[in-house]
Amino acid sequence: MASPVWFVSLVKRTFPQRFTLARLTKAPLLGGLLDRWLFGGDDIIYLPKDRVVKVAGEVSAGENVVLPSRVVEHFIEKANYHWIMNTCICRESSGCRDYPVDLGCLFLGEAAMGINPRLGRRVGKDEALEHLRRCREAGLFQLIGRNKLDTVWLNVKPGNRLLTICNCCPCCCLWKMIPVLSEDIGSKVHRMPGVEVRVTERCKGCGTCVKEGCFVQAIRMAGDRAVIGEECRGCGHCVEVCPHEAIELVLTDTAFMEDLVKRIATLVDVT
């Protein structure tokens, strides 16, 4: 049975306390239980915005380079079931004022049909693609993958038939809790394969990239230069906020899509 509206309202009220829950994942025994209950089998990938991606090397004028958004479009085209949530639970719970609250998650796969109809609606491929376009234009970026937490709070099954496509903002994203999660759980949220984030010689050491809030606190200042750590998930937010265009997100493997599509398809069936 789908989660009732009162339960979803409770989840929204407790959302600001997610960092407390995240810290509990580091506790002996309890952390393992939370991992299996809420994050078991997870594999979630950050997809940087197309407009912040640079392609390594020279690309001939007639060559078509596949960009990250194509991954989401592929699964929308393949899926038989598409579901758009009425609101983004993260932004609604946080009272977000910078990004649209009404641009919610997109779920694909048969399990999405078990979601409470008061929380969203089934749509066709065209409307799903239009929703994706609106999210991009609003400055949101996508995470895609299997996220067991969604099957829990929505109370839908099976987990291998629910593909989550989150439309995230830098201020309210659920996964801002990564720095306080256990390493085992945090490592289930990945950078897109073939992506590198680089600080160039144009860096002035202004610290804007740190002050503007890296999702996972992966940027620090070392003297008069920004340094990006291994924790970086490659979302590209730092590329957008740098006033000196000193950070680059480079796609080093233009054949990334085939491997990424296979990886996701082994986790979730959307047909």
Side-chain angles (χ1 to χ4, degrees), residues 58-64:
E58 295 297 325
V59 179
S60 62
E63 186 175 351
N64 292 320

Side-chain angles (χ1 to χ4, degrees), residues 20-216:
T20 300
L21 175 64
R23 292 184 182 93
L24 292 176
T25 64
K26 295 182 178 180
L29 298 180
L30 178 59
L33 291 173
L34 289 172
D35 187 356
R36 289 190 293 275
W37 177 37
L38 298 176
F39 307 100
D42 278 6
D43 190 8
I44 304 165
I45 300 98
Y46 273 90
L47 297 178
K49 301 172 189 175
D50 291 352
R51 66 171 179 258
V52 304
V53 173
K54 299 183 72 172
V55 180
E58 295 297 325
V59 179
S60 62
E63 186 175 351
N64 292 320
V65 176
V66 176
L67 292 174
S69 62
R70 185 66 191 108
V71 175
V72 180
E73 292 169 0
H74 167 86
F75 283 101
I76 290 175
E77 294 286 355
K78 182 181 179 182
N80 292 328
Y81 307 91
H82 310 75
W83 184 278
I84 294 176
M85 298 296 282
N86 292 335
T87 63
C88 168
I89 188 172
C90 301
R91 285 191 289 281
E92 186 175 12
S93 302
S94 303
C96 187
R97 297 184 178 182
D98 297 324
Y99 296 88
V101 172
D102 65 336
L103 295 178
C105 286
L106 171 64
F107 292 110
L108 306 179
E110 186 179 1
M113 297 303 97
I115 299 174
N116 190 323
R118 294 178 63 185
L119 302 177
R121 67 195 188 281
R122 185 178 182 179
V123 299
K125 293 180 182 180
D126 290 344
E127 189 170 353
L129 289 167
E130 173 63 15
H131 181 72
L132 179 64
R133 183 193 65 78
R134 290 180 61 208
C135 290
R136 290 179 192 153
E137 290 183 350
L140 304 173
F141 65 92
Q142 276 81 40
L143 278 76
I144 184 171
R146 181 171 176 175
N147 186 359
K148 187 175 182 181
L149 188 61
D150 286 330
T151 68
V152 173
W153 77 272
L154 291 169
N155 195 28
V156 296
K157 296 179 181 179
N160 66 348
R161 290 186 176 271
L162 187 73
L163 181 64
T164 295
I165 301 169
C166 283
N167 299 293
C168 299
C169 65
C171 43
C172 307
C173 181
L174 168 72
W175 295 106
K176 290 185 73 172
M177 64 183 182
I178 284 178
V180 295
L181 277 170
S182 72
E183 185 176 350
D184 286 345
I185 296 175
S187 65
K188 298 178 183 185
V189 185
H190 307 276
R191 182 189 308 189
M192 191 184 84
V195 161
E196 292 183 8
V197 184
R198 306 169 180 172
V199 179
T200 72
E201 69 282 354
R202 294 189 293 274
C203 180
K204 307 295 184 184
C206 67
T208 301
C209 55
V210 177
K211 297 170 187 173
E212 290 292 326
C214 171
F215 285 73
V216 292

Side-chain angles (χ1 to χ4, degrees), residues 200-268:
T200 72
E201 69 282 354
R202 294 189 293 274
C203 180
K204 307 295 184 184
C206 67
T208 301
C209 55
V210 177
K211 297 170 187 173
E212 290 292 326
C214 171
F215 285 73
V216 292
Q217 300 175 22
I219 307 177
R220 60 183 175 84
M221 300 303 300
D224 59 353
R225 188 178 178 85
V227 176
I228 297 175
E230 291 298 319
E231 306 87 355
C232 173
R233 297 309 196 276
C235 70
H237 182 58
C238 57
V239 178
E240 292 189 297
V241 301
C242 178
H244 307 291
E245 299 183 353
I247 305 178
E248 296 179 344
L249 190 149
V250 182
L251 185 60
T252 59
D253 178 12
T254 55
F256 72 93
M257 182 171 169
E258 182 177 353
D259 290 340
L260 188 51
V261 164
K262 287 180 180 177
R263 172 174 162 180
I264 295 171
T266 62
L267 299 168
V268 180

